[in-house]
Amino acid sequence: MSSNTRHVPVMLRRCLDMLAPALAEPGAVVVDCTLGLGGHSEALLSTFPSARLVALDRDTSALRLAGERLAPYGERATLVHAVYDELPDVLERLGLPRVQGVLFDLGVSSMQLDEADRGFAYAQDAPLDMRMDQTTGISAADVLNTYAPGELVRILRSYGEEKQAKRIVEAVVRERAKEPFRNSARLVELIRDALPQAAKRHGGNPAKRTFQALRIEVNGELASVERAVPAAVKALAVGGRIAVLSYQSLEDRIVKQVLAAGAANTAPPGLPVVPEQYQPRLKLLTRGAELPTEEEVAENRRAAPARLRGAERIREDIA
């Protein structure tokens, strides 16, 4: 399947509209921190013909496929093998102290979900890998087979918001003593068997929360988001804009906090006039989080949980 046919970028029009005022000037630089199959990147390059794109991805397969897709744009597109929290280093290497736009499309890319052998999807049996960058780090099987029970419970509760974490982990510990976990189907079956009937009645596949928790742990996703979003805000020139798509409440909460902090007045209470260093650095571009339209969800089911937040840089930091 070609990269073009299987990838429908989420909330594409809205993201482009949000970034547009910052990318109209010649020489504007926009960073796609989550290149994936290049759907958002291609749209940015074609919509803003005088902009230069820098795109990051930790997944070498995604970089290869997106590279083919973006080849017609030549030197306007610079693709970098990096995790998005490495943004400051990437920009420094490229000699770009400030950029005009930043886009994050967090979560798992369409390609990673569609490639059965990556182990992201609970609907099909595959090796329990879940690494976005398969050249480094520990797999989901390593986490399941080696982490202490208490640590596994913490991960499932914190990252999967799984109320039945203790019950699932007890079953995992029992089973891994017999034979280490290697494939996803065995884990899905174990979760189904471990959960009480009431917990299985709603909320989709009962394995969903556990798989989300393992994926976040394997890829250090929340820690990366906590570092990357403030770094992206810092890299914005005045007038520059950031747009962030999140797909689960933990990520969205981090994004909300970072943008809200930037848009807040930090002066001590009671000052008659607020000095400039305490004034907001950001102006929020969304009221709360924007959601995809019903039409978009009908066209692309992966858009359903998406939450979009954006902000504009309105002044420089003052030391």
Side-chain angles (χ1 to χ4, degrees), residues 162 164 167-168 188-207 209:
E162 174 55 81
Q164 305 291 334
R167 201 183 275 246
I168 291 168
V188 171
E189 194 180 336
L190 174 145
I191 293 166
R192 282 191 196 281
D193 292 346
L195 293 184
Q197 270 313 114
K200 289 188 267 196
R201 277 192 208 116
H202 44 78
N205 191 308
R209 289 178 294 278

Side-chain angles (χ1 to χ4, degrees), residues 204-245:
N205 191 308
K208 181 171 142 187
R209 289 178 294 278
T210 297
F211 271 63
Q212 174 180 300
L214 288 171
R215 194 196 82 218
I216 288 172
E217 172 65 16
V218 164
N219 296 291
E221 286 174 52
L222 292 182
S224 293
V225 173
E226 283 174 341
R227 291 189 294 267
V229 179
V233 166
K234 200 167 184 189
L236 284 176
V238 172
R241 290 181 165 213
I242 180 171
V244 188
L245 281 162

Side-chain angles (χ1 to χ4, degrees), residues 1 58 77 112 138 146 216 223 236 248 259-260:
M1 198 188 285
R58 56 166 58 173
Q112 289 161 343
I138 61 166
T146 65
I216 288 172
L236 284 176
Q248 38 104 343
L259 298 187

